[in-house]
Structure formats: C-alpha cells, structure tokens
Amino acid sequence: MAPSLPSNDAAASIGTALNPRERGVENSAGAISATFLKDPSDPAWKDDPAIKNWLSFMDKYYPSGDKGSSAALYGYAAAETLVQVVKQCGDDLSRENVMRQAASLRDYEPSGLLPGIKINTGPENFRPIKQMRLVQFDGRTWQPIGDVLETAFSDAPLK
C-alpha cells in the first residue's frame, strides 16, 4: 500500500487526478484528502440521485463536458446555490436584496456537496463553505474518516 499522502479537494478526483497518474488508482490506495464535494467519478455515488441529475444536466447542456470533473460539479453546486438565493429574494431582485439574501443562507445543502456539509453565510461572513470531510482512498472509492469538520477554514478575514 502507498503511503498516506494528503491531497486537497481539487486534486482528489478519482477520474481527473488519481486515475491518470502514471502509477494508477491501485497505487493511490491510502491517500487522504479533505473534501466537501461528491466525486462524480467515484463509484460510491453512481446511484446517488443528485449525481444522476447532474449527469442528465451535463448530457443536455454540456454533452462534451467531462462528467468525471469535480470542477464541473462544483459549478453546478454553485449554480444551485445561486438559485436558492434568487428564491429567497422573492419578487425583489434589487442588488441590495440579492446581496442580503446571499449573506443569509442557513444550512443550505446543494446536492453536489457531501451529506452533512451545509452552506451558511452572514452579513460579516461571505465564505459559504466552512465544513469538510476527511476521506481516504481505498483503491476504488473515497471512504469517510470521522465526522464533518465544523471549522475546516479559518474565520480570519480575507486579505
């Protein structure tokens, strides 16, 4: 088994990061990552309704797109979040209200995020994703390690 080398969410896609590597997925077993997003190339999610919906969306609107791309799924989740903001706006789509609603998301869970990962924003807190899961690759799928990390990112202001 390979040593447990950490990787970040962007480098943790089975389809785009682990599989193409010279050594292959079988030699990536034991790798650890921190993530908040489902991996569309992970067979663990093949029957997940959210991934099925996303694949249908890709087939309809971006058939040549990489269906194993976590970046594409992230974009879909971001769009779902924008739809939630617009729903919260009701009939008032003024800039002020859009910004107010974007800064008042509470426990919103876009379908592409891992179970238990929620988006929360506030007037002084615009970073929507603050939770992550540690996962370990077993040579086939990502296996969760422990519970959702509630303070995955610093609350320090962005500079």
Side-chain angles (χ1 to χ4, degrees):
M1 176 161 63
S4 296
L5 301 173
S7 65
N8 66 13
D9 184 70
S13 169
I14 294 170
T16 58
L18 299 181
N19 203 23
R21 288 190 178 164
E22 196 173 288
R23 297 185 323 167
V25 291
E26 62 278 356
N27 291 314
S28 297
I32 294 174
S33 183
T35 187
F36 56 88
L37 193 64
K38 295 172 183 174
D39 180 350
S41 59
D42 187 332
W45 300 110
K46 71 178 174 66
D47 294 323
D48 181 68
I51 295 298
K52 286 182 174 184
N53 287 340
W54 175 71
L55 290 170
S56 292
F57 173 88
M58 290 289 285
D59 286 342
K60 183 174 182 178
Y61 295 105
Y62 190 32
S64 63
D66 181 0
K67 293 177 183 79
S69 170
S70 59
L73 181 60
Y74 177 80
Y76 183 83
E80 279 185 315
T81 305
L82 179 58
V83 168
Q84 178 62 29
V85 168
V86 172
K87 283 180 183 177
Q88 287 179 203
C89 285
D91 292 334
D92 181 0
L93 294 176
S94 66
R95 181 189 190 288
E96 292 77 19
N97 193 41
V98 169
M99 294 305 292
R100 184 173 34 257
Q101 298 309 317
S104 63
L105 291 167
R106 298 287 175 262
D107 293 330
Y108 178 64
E109 296 182 62
S111 64
L113 271 56
L114 290 173
I117 304 291
K118 299 174 182 171
I119 290 180
N120 287 286
T121 57
E124 302 294 323
N125 186 358
F126 300 119
R127 190 176 292 129
I129 299 172
K130 298 167 201 68
Q131 302 169 306
M132 293 192 112
R133 291 277 324 239
L134 288 178
V135 290
Q136 186 167 28
F137 189 63
D138 68 6
R140 188 176 155 290
T141 68
W142 288 106
Q143 299 295 322
I145 302 172
D147 296 324
V148 170
L149 300 173
E150 296 294 331
T151 55
F153 299 102
S154 168
D155 284 334
L158 297 174
K159 295 185 184 209

